[in-house]
Amino acid sequence: MSRQQRAKIDAMARRPRPEGPLSVEELRAGFRAMMAEMIVPAGIRTRTATLGDRPAVLVEPAGTPKAGTILYFHGGSYVVGSPETAMSLTGNLVTRTGFRAFSLDYRLAPEHPFPAAIEDGLSAYRALLDSGEDPSAIAFAGDSAGGGLTVSTCLAARGAGLPMPAAIVAFSPGLDMTRTGGSMTGKAGVDPFFTREGMEHTGAMYLAGQDPHHPLLSPAIRADLTGFPPLLLQAGTNEMLLDDSTRMATRAREAGVDVILDVTADVPHVFQAFAGVLDEADEALERAALFLRQHIRAKDTAHTPAS
């Protein structure tokens, strides 16, 4: 554990930013610029693909991939981000597990508010199943808003009568659009990335007037998790969304779900993206990779090609 590493990242996250609410275009450009600083691991190859009716990026290890697929959902408050901005995370999961990953380019708000992203996630999962992939060979993974999508897509899949995936990995997931967790107040100022005002600004774009108490919007406090697959929740103590994970873990445990709550001290939101710079990020990714390797089960056969 490196105090110096953590201090450097905290200082980077607190660099001066423009005052006041930013436009969608400004938010997206700023997020692209920040995530472009993250280290994408060597040893992966990528190509464009399609899942359902949405673009995706197929990420594979340089060698022959193991049988199994990670369906990855990028972060960005449902308003910003893309498969490219999450490539450090997706690439690290691929290199550390040997599985391939599809990173989904789901529709974003405000152009496409709730439930568009969930519909795209469900369509992508259905496409993998229709291609012949066994659900025991598929895991969902994602960060921030994408971490929320791992859960809401699983809920939507269950509601549609589809089989559950093998596992879920969520990095600093957003799981409560009511923003009622104690960490929303307790970690204000400690969190170097978020403010309540900023979260309300982007949250309103995604909600578009919908009730935030809907189970697909706030599964940490409203969803029935019966029958869910094993769940790994990773978060840092320096983030306002910490209690989204802690309450989700409690809810999962009470529903009889195998759940691991993995909290790292003195690190910020989606600290795993700082792999190669922050020791805790690499260590957390190793734990996530081990979890995925333990739960993805697939016959060692060739994958059905994606379109």
Side-chain angles (χ1 to χ4, degrees):
M1 202 180 279
S2 169
R3 187 168 299 177
Q4 186 177 5
Q5 291 172 345
R6 286 175 288 170
K8 182 178 179 181
I9 287 168
D10 189 82
M12 181 277 291
R14 294 180 188 278
R15 286 181 301 196
R17 281 172 271 187
E19 294 289 335
L22 300 180
S23 69
V24 172
E25 293 74 19
E26 289 170 328
L27 288 169
R28 290 173 178 167
F31 190 71
R32 280 195 304 270
M34 179 179 71
M35 298 310 292
E37 298 181 23
M38 306 304 164
I39 299 171
V40 177
I44 59 171
R45 59 179 187 270
T46 65
R47 67 176 175 86
T48 57
T50 301
L51 280 179
D53 57 1
R54 292 300 302 167
V57 175
L58 173 61
V59 186
E60 296 180 295
T64 303
K66 297 178 183 177
T69 299
I70 300 166
L71 179 56
Y72 196 87
F73 301 96
H74 69 81
S77 303
Y78 300 103
V79 172
V80 305
S82 68
E84 287 72 26
T85 61
M87 194 55 66
S88 63
L89 292 161
T90 314
N92 267 292
L93 289 179
V94 166
T95 57
R96 292 166 192 264
T97 63
F99 300 125
R100 69 174 183 170
F102 284 98
S103 188
L104 183 66
D105 193 6
Y106 57 87
R107 289 172 292 170
L108 298 176
E111 298 91 341
H112 305 283
F114 171 80
I118 300 169
E119 293 170 347
D120 291 346
L122 179 61
S123 178
Y125 181 48
R126 195 188 299 273
L128 288 176
L129 296 175
D130 289 346
S131 76
E133 193 85 26
D134 192 277
S136 66
I138 303 170
F140 294 172
D143 65 280
S144 195
L149 276 176
T150 64
V151 173
S152 55
T153 298
C154 202
L155 288 167
R158 189 186 64 189
L162 298 179
M164 292 290 91
I168 293 173
V169 170
F171 301 135
S172 297
L175 297 166
D176 175 22
M177 289 296 289
T178 71
R179 309 301 190 203
T180 54
S183 57
M184 284 292 299
T185 301
K187 299 298 180 178
V190 177
D191 189 321
F193 288 115
F194 288 137
T195 63
R196 181 178 287 274
E197 293 74 21
M199 294 172 79
E200 289 176 349
H201 179 51
T202 53
M205 296 183 201
Y206 182 57
L207 287 171
Q210 295 295 313
D211 182 359
H213 292 86
H214 192 292
L216 292 178
L217 288 166
S218 298
I221 60 171
R222 296 301 302 270
D224 173 10
L225 303 178
T226 303
F228 253 51
L231 176 64
L232 172 64
L233 302 162
Q234 289 188 344
T237 61
N238 289 9
E239 57 175 311
M240 293 174 70
L241 292 182
L242 173 60
D243 281 356
D244 287 35
S245 290
T246 60
R247 289 176 297 157
M248 184 69 180
T250 298
R251 196 168 190 84
R253 185 173 64 250
E254 291 174 348
V257 176
D258 290 340
V259 58
I260 297 173
L261 175 63
D262 180 358
V263 179
T264 298
D266 299 327
V267 294
H269 186 67
V270 194
F271 67 96
Q272 300 88 342
F274 294 96
V277 176
L278 179 67
D279 292 343
E280 289 87 344
D282 289 283
E283 292 161 4
L285 285 163
E286 280 297 320
R287 296 193 296 274
L290 174 61
F291 181 84
L292 290 169
R293 293 195 304 269
Q294 288 173 330
H295 291 287
I296 290 179
R297 300 280 184 261
K299 294 179 180 178
D300 197 12
T301 57
H303 293 296
T304 303
S307 60

